[in-house]
Amino acid sequence: GGTDKAVRRWNPDTGDPIGEPLTSGDLGSVVQVGFSPLSKWIVATSDSRRLQLFYAKDGATLIPALDSTYGIEAFAFSPDGKYFAGSFESSGLVRVWDWDNWKEAPVSLSGHQGGITSLAFSPDSKLLAVGTGLNTVRLWAPATGKLVRDIPASATPSASPS
């Protein structure tokens, strides 16, 4: 990704480009790119506050680009490939989509203070950890949208020198 508003694919063994660059309307300058589990999809976010999903194999778009009032700060795929989560800058909002029902409204996880700095799913995909700018981690159940636990920075064990 880059300022030319395209995502490029390369053969990891040869370094040769694969196909034409992936573009979608006014994607804007691409600021983040990632792969889904098993590398089936490529996700790209842009400075124009858009998120686009492409099939990795042929570059076709999976759905129309998602526009947001806020820019996309972070995103994560669940290890089982069932969920996709995206956070939106300044909004304190995380949305979680279920791949089986993509066209339905996503689950919204709100109330994050201090901005969202990171997203990560547990290895079993049953929890989504949301890191905030206030050094707090919130654990959510992506299937239900229920808050499981808040973990304040003071609860984080510090590393001791060896």
Side-chain angles (χ1 to χ4, degrees), residues 30-109:
V30 177
V31 295
Q32 295 182 74
V33 178
F35 282 98
S36 68
L38 304 177
S39 301
K40 187 173 180 180
W41 301 287
I42 298 170
V43 62
T45 66
S46 74
D47 64 354
S48 65
R49 299 180 173 159
R50 297 185 75 147
L51 179 143
Q52 181 66 64
L53 294 161
F54 300 95
Y55 282 108
K57 184 177 180 179
D58 62 9
T61 55
L62 179 61
I63 58 167
L66 299 174
D67 290 314
S68 172
T69 303
Y70 305 98
I72 290 91
E73 283 288 301
F75 60 83
F77 287 95
S78 63
D80 66 3
K82 183 170 174 65
Y83 301 108
F84 175 80
S87 68
F88 300 87
E89 69 182 22
S90 307
S91 71
L93 178 66
V94 174
R95 289 197 174 125
V96 180
W97 287 268
D98 181 331
W99 281 111
D100 294 333
N101 301 306
W102 184 264
K103 294 186 190 277
E104 292 182 17
V107 171
S108 293
L109 313 176

Side-chain angles (χ1 to χ4, degrees), residues 113-134:
Q113 302 295 315
I116 296 165
T117 58
S118 58
L119 299 173
F121 281 93
S122 61
D124 64 4
S125 301
K126 292 183 179 178
L127 294 173
L128 174 63
V130 178
T132 72
L134 296 179

